[in-house]
Amino acid sequence: MDHTTENMIENTEKILEVENLTAVYNTDAGVVHAVNGVSFSINKKETIGLVGETGAGKTTTALAIMQLLPERTGEVKSGSIRYRGDELLTKNKAEMRLIRGACISMIFQDPMTALNPLMTVGEQIYESLAIHNSNKTQKELEPRVDELLELVGIPARRKINYPHEFSGGMKQRIVIAIALACEPLLLIADEPTTALDVTIQAQVLNLMDELKQKLSTSMIMITHDLGVVAQTCDKVAVMYAGEIVEYGMLEEIFDPKRPHHPYTIGLFNAIPSLTGESRRLKPIDGLMPDPANLPEGCRFHPRCQECMERCKSGEIYQYENGTHKIKCNLMRKGENDGRAD
Amino acid sequence: MAELIKTVDLKKYFKLSKTEYLHAVDGVNLSIEKGRTLGVVGESGCGKSTLGRTMIGLNNATSGEIWFEGEDLLKLSASRRKAYRSKMQIIFQDPYSSLDPRMSVFQLIAEPLISNKVHKSKGELVDHVSYLMEKVGLDQRFINAYPHEMDGGRRQRVGIARALALNPEFIVCDEPVSALDVSIQAQIINLLMDMQEEMGLTYMFITHDLSVVRHMSDEIMVMYLGQCVEKAPAAELFRNPLHPYTKALLAAIPQPVIGEKMNKEIIRGEVSDPINPAPGCRFASRCKHCCPQCTQADVPLKKVENAHEVACVLYK
């Protein structure tokens, strides 16, 4: 740790604590267990990466924090979500509306659909400012709209344009400008660069990093790209079938010498390397389980090469070494090498 | 080894109005040897998919030549050209929209066999379909399933089985894994490579994912706004990228390694319009090495080293 003591105290203020969050979708086909007992916390200025494949429950976790789960089907079953010590789950709609946008805001995956095609981008940025600054007039807020556009690298004169007049990268910048309009303390970015080309992705990630420093925002970065995680995050939570299977500081997750969850190892092995020479990839066999019908015991056991009898039912061992946590029976014996047999 | 397919100055323009043409593919020369893979990389809108589609005849070329097994396909009559169609196939990007949702797996895989009248009896057809399913690793229980009942990886396997049905020699893989999760992506990449080894297939692998292309290809071609800016053997291109655009593209990939923070030299701006482009290097407006020479005349592809070609005035 190379922070100064002063920095340490300031940075340990907990912005968000999620504890044992369980969320389900009640559908005609049965109850879909999207998030099953997820816990993590974010300190000030910290970025946590939620990593996993489609259906791992990353987006549902984000929507549960924002309380934007679909009203008829989505439901938070249990757990607690505290924003600076304040429980969010007991808040009513009006109270949540004051928090959303002003304290916690979200960048959605697809900039092509996140913007309203019938409003100019200036109006859309103004809209979120106006909701949280009802005491100010449009004239007072207009300079802030210009300032926000310039902040994300778009000339202010373009505020009179509609979304279709911008390219994908510029649209995502506008979505970021809207999310940052009220200087929230926490930003949830749901796959912010998945729909963009690599060079544009690099521009957007750079911009987010700069803004994070400037505004001291904390961030939840949802992604399936381990490269993006390595570039942007401080902490990482690897999710599988609605659970966090491995959690730790970035250095701990990316250190090959430490023990890891077999799923994390599988994820790393599945990416073709830019430098290595291996000719054949090592994919994880099988598929993500159906969240309406999750396996007993460890959710990963049907796909796990190291699966043991005791993984198929009952509680799974929780390994803890400082900040590094792994949910896997392999960690039960031999804390150092992580191998059971 | 002998080359299987070659293009000479291939162009595909889309007419937008009386005076406006979109130059999707603008003078591409390439050749692929039998049993090898050419990777085509570039950002969205650079014309890589149009190039692939034009090569197998899904788009009509504006001008140029496509040589396949010693014949210029563009000069053949429609009926003679049809004979070559079954030898060239394509695997599409999105297995969610490239399969007819109202056809079962059996119907989907049998379709190319039926329309080419490969089999005389239903029994033979059923056998062939199950053989193909086994080959691409699809369980027989899916034979009557519909696309919506399967996940992306299995759907893409159906797409591959369709492409393999007529024993093609050349397959254009148009971003076959970009809609899939990483663990599934690795399964499909392995399958494609196994098929190539087993059947001696020749691939043109189109993608924007540089790590996938490095893994799959023997040679890589980098495209920018309809033109090839650099072409080199895969390992060479990653070891020694020459064109400023290739360098920027490689620098922009986030590496799953900590400590190696992203290169701060990020290229500014975005891909410009391919409509009636001005002469000269198309990357000039974003390039930090841009000089007057770049915008005066078109910059041709030049050989710098063995098999390493680049279109840039910095290299003479």
Side-chain angles (χ1 to χ4, degrees):
Chain A
M1 288 280 151
D2 50 358
H3 298 291
T4 61
T5 336
E6 194 187 327
N7 244 337
M8 286 281 278
I9 294 162
E10 191 200 332
N11 286 355
T12 46
E13 187 199 340
K14 282 209 168 29
I15 296 294
L16 188 82
E17 290 163 277
V18 175
E19 235 171 86
N20 231 342
L21 180 69
T22 303
V24 297
Y25 293 105
N26 300 306
T27 68
D28 293 344
V31 181
V32 174
H33 299 273
V35 177
N36 309 305
V38 161
S39 308
F40 60 88
S41 68
I42 306 158
N43 295 341
K44 199 167 182 187
K45 287 187 178 175
E46 206 172 44
T47 301
I48 180 169
L50 297 186
V51 198
E53 297 178 275
T54 316
K58 310 179 298 268
T59 302
T60 309
T61 308
L63 292 178
I65 294 168
M66 297 287 280
Q67 295 195 23
L68 285 175
L69 286 171
E71 243 172 63
R72 281 161 193 271
T73 52
E75 187 187 352
V76 173
K77 277 276 182 205
S78 64
S80 125
I81 301 170
R82 288 188 299 277
Y83 172 74
R84 303 180 90 179
D86 206 5
E87 179 62 53
L88 292 185
L89 289 176
T90 52
K91 294 215 183 299
N92 63 29
K93 280 184 186 171
E95 288 168 327
M96 263 322 281
R97 232 174 280 140
L98 294 176
I99 289 173
R100 252 183 279 167
C103 306
I104 310 177
S105 65
M106 187 157 172
I107 299 173
F108 294 92
Q109 175 169 4
D110 188 356
M112 323 296 163
T113 54
L115 294 170
N116 183 340
L118 298 177
M119 280 167 85
T120 66
V121 299
E123 283 166 0
Q124 298 189 49
I125 299 174
Y126 169 73
E127 189 185 28
S128 66
L129 283 169
I131 290 167
H132 297 286
N133 297 286
S134 46
N135 52 344
K136 288 194 181 146
T137 62
Q138 177 156 11
K139 238 190 182 140
E140 287 172 304
L141 290 173
E142 211 55 45
R144 176 78 182 137
V145 173
D146 298 358
E147 194 185 306
L148 280 162
L149 275 173
E150 299 281 353
L151 186 72
V152 294
I154 293 173
R157 63 184 155 78
R158 295 210 58 187
K159 68 180 173 190
I160 52 161
N161 290 124
Y162 288 90
H164 75 267
E165 297 172 87
F166 292 89
S167 67
M170 288 173 102
K171 274 187 237 178
Q172 193 60 296
R173 286 160 191 267
I174 291 159
V175 174
I176 293 173
I178 295 172
L180 293 174
C182 302
E183 307 203 349
L185 278 175
L186 177 66
L187 187 62
I188 303 176
D190 187 3
E191 308 242 8
T193 57
T194 308
L196 308 174
D197 277 316
V198 272
T199 57
I200 310 299
Q201 164 172 299
Q203 291 174 2
V204 169
L205 289 179
N206 231 17
L207 171 75
M208 287 175 68
D209 196 46
E210 271 173 43
L211 296 177
K212 211 184 92 180
Q213 303 296 340
K214 212 183 276 178
L215 309 171
S216 9
T217 317
S218 312
M219 195 153 78
I220 301 179
M221 177 68 117
I222 297 175
T223 179
H224 62 266
D225 187 333
L226 289 163
V228 171
V229 171
Q231 304 297 332
T232 55
C233 300
D234 303 305
K235 266 186 199 169
V236 185
V238 181
M239 290 190 74
Y240 185 80
E243 287 180 345
I244 294 180
V245 293
E246 186 166 349
Y247 179 73
M249 303 305 288
L250 181 72
E251 295 78 16
E252 292 166 337
I253 303 288
F254 280 72
D255 183 354
K257 287 187 216 82
R258 282 175 168 269
H260 290 294
H261 193 278
Y263 179 65
T264 314
I265 298 173
L267 270 187
F268 274 98
N269 283 343
I271 343 174
S273 154
L274 271 180
T275 45
E277 275 307 325
S278 81
R279 205 49 195 149
R280 215 183 145 75
L281 297 175
K282 296 184 215 79
I284 307 170
D285 286 335
L287 298 167
M288 189 73 111
D290 175 3
N293 186 16
L294 288 173
E296 285 280 304
C298 173
R299 317 272 190 216
F300 186 61
H301 87 255
R303 299 176 75 184
C304 185
Q305 302 214 328
E306 322 237 9
C307 174
M308 296 172 286
E309 208 41 54
R310 66 168 167 223
C311 299
K312 292 179 184 163
S313 60
E315 277 295 299
I316 305 301
Y317 181 71
Q318 180 83 44
Y319 162 91
E320 266 194 70
N321 178 5
T323 47
H324 194 185
K325 293 178 190 164
I326 303 169
K327 197 170 183 183
C328 181
N329 281 337
L330 286 172
M331 306 298 146
R332 216 181 271 263
K333 276 194 247 164
E335 301 265 318
N336 292 321
D337 61 4
R339 299 257 156 202
D341 308 304
Chain B
M1 256 206 265
E3 65 190 19
L4 179 82
I5 189 161
K6 184 171 98 169
T7 70
V8 179
D9 205 21
L10 187 67
K11 287 183 182 162
K12 173 68 196 171
Y13 294 173
F14 292 101
K15 192 173 183 178
L16 300 177
S17 70
K18 269 187 184 149
T19 51
E20 282 186 320
Y21 284 91
L22 191 148
H23 296 220
V25 176
D26 210 353
V28 169
N29 294 296
L30 61 87
S31 77
I32 313 174
E33 283 175 15
K34 200 169 165 42
R36 312 271 284 177
T37 303
L38 173 75
V40 178
V41 286
E43 295 177 272
S44 38
C46 74
K48 47 192 196 311
S49 291
T50 310
L51 174 66
R53 295 174 63 98
T54 308
M55 280 175 71
I56 64 161
L58 286 178
N59 288 333
N60 285 321
T62 307
S63 71
E65 297 160 16
I66 301 171
W67 292 87
F68 185 79
E69 294 185 335
E71 295 230 51
D72 183 357
L73 298 184
L74 297 179
K75 292 211 173 67
L76 293 180
S77 64
S79 59
R80 288 203 45 213
R81 184 151 189 203
K82 209 178 158 197
Y84 283 97
R85 282 253 166 124
S86 63
K87 295 189 179 179
M88 309 163 102
Q89 294 292 334
I90 185 166
I91 299 167
F92 292 99
Q93 170 171 8
D94 185 0
Y96 296 87
S97 59
S98 63
L99 300 176
D100 187 335
R102 301 177 70 167
M103 284 165 87
S104 69
V105 169
F106 176 81
Q107 288 171 313
L108 285 163
I109 300 178
E111 194 184 23
L113 298 168
I114 294 169
S115 49
N116 282 281
K117 303 192 179 66
V118 177
H119 296 294
K120 290 199 183 69
S121 72
K122 180 92 193 268
E124 273 180 57
L125 182 68
V126 175
D127 286 349
H128 197 163
V129 170
S130 1
Y131 164 77
L132 285 166
M133 284 179 73
E134 198 186 313
K135 202 153 199 183
V136 298
L138 264 180
D139 210 79
Q140 292 297 328
R141 70 193 160 97
F142 288 105
I143 196 157
N144 290 317
Y146 285 87
H148 75 268
E149 299 172 76
M150 293 183 292
D151 62 279
R154 291 213 177 92
R155 276 185 241 202
Q156 197 55 293
R157 284 175 199 267
V158 175
I160 295 173
R162 272 165 72 87
L164 293 176
L166 297 169
N167 280 324
E169 290 179 39
F170 176 61
I171 298 184
V172 173
C173 307
D174 188 2
E175 308 241 15
V177 295
S178 42
L180 307 174
D181 271 319
V182 274
S183 69
I184 310 300
Q185 173 179 316
Q187 294 173 7
I188 298 295
I189 289 175
N190 280 344
L191 172 69
L192 287 170
M193 292 179 79
D194 291 345
M195 291 293 117
Q196 179 169 40
E197 211 160 287
E198 210 174 296
M199 305 169 69
L201 295 168
T202 307
Y203 287 147
M204 180 158 128
F205 199 90
I206 299 169
T207 181
H208 64 269
D209 187 332
L210 287 139
S211 50
V212 171
V213 86
R214 181 182 188 274
H215 187 81
M216 286 288 298
S217 322
D218 300 297
E219 205 185 14
I220 297 175
M221 177 170 123
V222 182
M223 277 185 84
Y224 191 79
L225 281 180
Q227 293 178 330
C228 168
V229 295
E230 187 164 0
K231 198 157 62 178
E236 163 76 10
L237 187 88
F238 279 84
R239 193 174 52 237
N240 182 24
L242 295 177
H243 197 281
Y245 177 64
T246 315
K247 285 183 185 167
L249 206 56
L250 292 180
I253 319 170
Q255 293 287 318
V257 182
I258 49 169
E260 281 183 39
K261 279 286 166 195
M262 223 181 303
N263 193 328
K264 288 290 167 202
E265 273 185 41
I266 289 166
I267 39 170
R268 311 182 63 80
E270 288 168 32
V271 183
S272 53
D273 260 341
I275 301 164
N276 292 350
C281 173
R282 305 224 165 134
F283 184 61
S285 59
R286 295 171 82 187
C287 183
K288 60 177 179 180
H289 303 289
C290 178
C291 59
Q293 222 186 323
C294 300
T295 46
Q296 275 161 10
D298 280 338
V299 186
L301 212 55
K302 274 190 210 123
K303 199 163 264 183
V304 205
E305 265 170 69
N306 291 340
H308 195 154
E309 292 173 65
V310 61
C312 180
V313 296
L314 292 176
Y315 305 94
K316 295 206 172 96

